[in-house]
Amino acid sequence: MTYQAMLDRARKFERQGRAGEAAAAYAEAAKAMEARGDWTSAVAVRARHARALAAAGQTGEAQRILDAVERAAASMGGEVRAVLDAQAAHVLAAAGRTGEAARRAWAAMTGFASLQDHRRADAAGVHAARLIVRDAGPRKALLPLRELLAQMPPGGDGHRRVAELLAEAERRPDRDHDILVTDPDGAPWGRLAAALAVGAHLAVGNGVAWNALTDDGNDRELLERDWGVTDSASWREQMDRLLDANNSDPAIQMVLDRRGRGTDPRAWRAAIVAWCEERDIGEQTVREVVGLSATILRYESRFRADGLLPPGGLVESVYGYDFGRAVNMARWGLNCGYCDAEEAEKCVLTAGHRAHQVYPSWESFSAGYILGRMLRFDDGEFGEWYERSLTGHRVLAEDPASPWRRMSWG
């Protein structure tokens, strides 16, 4: 097999997401090059080997190989050095050494630019910009992003994308929550993007990208503390409950289902009582679910006053609360290694599909999501839980960059 055939095979594995097989194919190609004395090519391919290992989760081995390649390339310059810097940035980022990774990506950009290789210089510059934001946060990233942008030739794709990252950092307020964040590398349109947007309430609330399946949060601690999830099995159990809309109190949906459109409160209460009597439900429980209908009326009245519902609008389902959290559960599970990217994406698409079956619009979905959240946490107080949820709704309903403004429902 020729060198080119080996490399084509490795790149094919990379495109298919088969990082471990790609690493093995790059290692085979590098070994053949070393045996023939083609040390310059071997260094570049060993660097790709290290990057593929890092993508496969073998960051320790990737760093060991990278260190060996660095020593072998100590006397080399030009394209080899630029390639090595570019691949090192990926390996270091995967190992959590984000600041070092940003510096190597920046060096790669400079190296490729000196060779007039504008395509690779652009790619390295954009990578450096993303790493800077990840390492420093949007506010502290402003100065280095401006310096980086000044070194990129205007008019190119890389300049445009770094300018977008800078603009995003500049428009974010001095807080890390209740803000719309869009990952330029995430899904911008289509089925996956529309499904991810079903989880946008929590993404906005937590200040993470709504359109990405991964983020840099401490999700393992969150899952164990708030959900009791510690492994793949417990993650799958919670995910299934969310996708089946079985995580919230079933009494809420039962109460909502007893109300026909336009039914007055007295008839609604009577319908609830009749349903309970048919099932020999105790008096105390009957009083509680009838009281729940009064609480829902209070929230709906406030929703209409605050623009969450149109005049005369009602909430017909709270299933959206489970579907919205299911999208984020997929993200958290992937970040923690409790599922792979394929399974996470499948769960997101399922959550989006089921939400689209239940609700007719983004606005009705949002009202259902927020009512479910309020009945669990706010306890009729219209306190911080409500204010943050209302803020999130307004961001998603009004920001021109919001997926709810850019994509039609369903």
Side-chain angles (χ1 to χ4, degrees):
M1 186 182 296
T2 65
Y3 291 168
Q4 190 59 50
M6 292 180 182
L7 294 175
D8 287 344
R9 182 165 167 260
R11 293 179 185 122
K12 178 180 177 182
F13 286 142
E14 280 186 319
R15 289 194 299 271
Q16 294 173 340
R18 298 156 67 181
E21 292 168 90
Y26 279 124
E28 181 184 4
K31 186 176 180 180
M33 292 170 180
E34 290 161 354
R36 297 286 293 272
D38 188 354
W39 301 110
T40 300
S41 298
V43 164
V45 175
R46 282 291 178 193
R48 291 300 298 255
H49 174 207
R51 175 178 171 179
L53 283 172
Q58 302 178 49
T59 53
E61 178 66 8
Q63 290 182 88
R64 186 189 68 75
I65 290 173
L66 181 63
D67 289 343
V69 174
E70 296 270 20
R71 291 192 295 271
S75 60
M76 299 180 185
E79 183 179 5
V80 172
R81 172 53 55 185
V83 168
L84 184 53
D85 283 332
Q87 304 309 324
H90 289 279
V91 174
L92 293 167
R97 296 160 62 182
T98 317
E100 294 175 69
R103 289 189 286 275
R104 294 300 291 271
W106 195 320
M109 180 194 74
T110 303
F112 286 129
S114 69
L115 298 167
Q116 301 298 305
D117 189 339
H118 300 301
R119 181 184 63 81
R120 287 196 284 184
D122 274 1
V126 173
H127 191 207
R130 293 191 188 115
L131 290 168
I132 288 167
V133 174
R134 187 189 306 176
D135 182 60
R139 280 298 167 200
K140 292 182 180 179
L142 290 176
L143 180 58
L145 283 177
R146 290 177 183 133
E147 292 175 352
L148 178 69
L149 191 63
Q151 294 185 22
M152 303 182 74
D157 183 63
H159 188 279
R160 176 186 61 78
R161 294 169 71 182
V162 173
E164 289 175 354
L165 288 169
L166 175 59
E168 177 71 16
E170 288 174 333
R171 69 183 286 274
R172 287 181 63 163
D174 290 317
R175 62 178 185 271
D176 59 2
H177 58 83
D178 296 340
I179 50 177
L180 179 69
V181 181
T182 302
D183 185 342
D185 280 341
W189 306 98
R191 287 179 62 236
L192 180 58
L196 285 166
V198 167
H201 259 295
L202 265 179
V204 166
N206 294 331
V208 301
W210 68 267
N211 64 329
L213 269 174
T214 58
D215 61 49
D216 298 320
N218 186 3
D219 298 328
R220 191 175 292 270
E221 180 181 340
L222 176 150
L223 284 176
E224 183 173 2
R225 182 191 68 227
D226 295 347
W227 295 85
V229 169
T230 56
D231 54 23
S232 296
S234 53
W235 172 84
R236 187 71 243 187
E237 179 182 358
Q238 290 290 358
M239 174 58 76
D240 287 341
R241 292 187 65 199
L242 289 168
L243 290 175
D244 292 338
N246 286 332
N247 183 276
S248 297
D249 183 354
I252 301 171
Q253 193 60 45
M254 180 278 290
V255 168
L256 289 173
D257 288 343
R258 305 283 71 75
R259 176 175 62 178
R261 184 173 294 277
T263 302
D264 64 42
R266 181 177 298 179
W268 188 18
R269 291 193 296 269
I272 295 168
V273 171
W275 187 92
C276 293
E277 287 177 347
E278 289 174 3
R279 291 158 180 79
D280 294 325
I281 294 174
E283 292 184 6
Q284 178 61 33
T285 302
V286 174
R287 285 194 292 271
E288 290 174 359
V289 292
V290 168
L292 181 57
S293 70
T295 301
I296 291 171
L297 287 172
R298 288 184 60 227
Y299 274 112
E300 289 176 329
S301 177
R302 181 66 176 269
F303 284 9
R304 289 189 287 270
D306 289 334
L308 280 166
L309 282 172
L314 303 173
V315 176
E316 297 186 15
S317 173
V318 291
Y319 288 163
Y321 183 48
D322 280 1
F323 299 147
R325 289 183 296 161
V327 171
N328 291 274
M329 181 62 73
R331 177 182 290 122
W332 300 329
L334 179 59
N335 288 343
C336 296
Y338 296 152
C339 67
D340 59 22
E342 183 179 358
E343 185 175 10
E345 183 174 319
K346 182 179 179 181
C347 291
V348 169
L349 289 170
T350 299
H353 175 69
R354 293 182 181 177
H356 295 148
Q357 288 182 312
V358 172
Y359 297 96
S361 67
W362 287 115
E363 291 76 14
S364 61
F365 161 75
S366 184
Y369 177 95
I370 293 175
L371 180 61
R373 195 181 196 203
M374 294 307 98
L375 293 175
R376 173 165 290 194
F377 294 113
D378 189 58
D379 199 26
E381 295 181 359
F382 298 99
E384 183 180 358
W385 283 102
Y386 180 74
E387 292 302 325
R388 294 255 329 243
S389 296
L390 178 61
T391 296
H393 170 86
R394 287 175 172 166
V395 167
L396 289 163
E398 299 170 8
D399 192 316
S402 166
W404 295 9
R405 296 283 301 276
R406 295 164 64 87
M407 290 186 288
S408 61
W409 176 257

